[in-house]
């Protein structure tokens, strides 16, 4: 999760696409150049350990868009694909 947040902050769409599950990954990804991701808070995690094949992360990602602060809250699901953790999908409460 932290590496994906860093990729959003740096605008690294290649990494974001590579770390997305093949069944839910979009064909392309365009990030908003006016949005700056500034801080990540991990609220909760479930599973996702060394011997797990799935896990979840609930987080608050703080950003600024056109000078205005905002927060994205998501409950994300991750799974192992070919031995690597990848983002499957997420729900925004």
């Amino acid at each position: 999760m932290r590496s994906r947040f860093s990729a959003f902050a740096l605008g690294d769409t290649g990494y974001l696409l590579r770390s997305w599950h093949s069944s839910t990954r979009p064909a392309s990804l365009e990030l908003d150049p006016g949005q700056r991701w500034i801080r990540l808070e991990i609220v909760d995690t479930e599973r996702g350990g060394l011997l797990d094949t799935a896990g979840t992360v609930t987080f608050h990602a703080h950003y600024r868009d056109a000078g205005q602060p905002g927060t994205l809250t998501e409950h994300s699901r991750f799974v192992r694909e070919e031995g690597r953790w990848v983002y499957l999908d997420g729900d925004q409460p």
Side-chain angles (χ1 to χ4, degrees), residues 6-93:
S6 295
F8 272 105
L10 295 172
D12 188 348
T13 57
Y15 179 82
L16 291 167
L17 291 170
R18 286 190 307 277
S19 61
W20 212 310
H21 192 271
S22 60
S23 70
T24 57
R25 177 177 45 234
S28 64
L29 185 62
E30 188 172 326
L31 301 179
D32 181 350
Q35 194 171 48
R36 283 193 45 232
W37 295 96
I38 54 177
R39 184 166 53 98
L40 176 67
E41 287 179 72
I42 302 296
V43 177
D44 189 32
T45 61
E46 295 178 25
R47 297 175 48 216
L50 184 61
L51 302 176
D52 292 320
T53 58
T56 63
V57 177
T58 302
F59 65 89
H60 301 303
H62 301 275
Y63 63 89
R64 292 191 77 72
D65 192 0
Q68 299 298 311
T71 302
L72 169 71
T73 299
E74 184 172 297
H75 180 77
S76 299
R77 293 189 312 150
F78 290 84
V79 295
R80 285 193 195 263
E81 183 176 56
E82 298 179 7
R84 298 180 316 121
W85 284 107
V86 293
Y87 173 78
L88 182 62
D89 59 20
D91 297 315
Q92 297 175 10

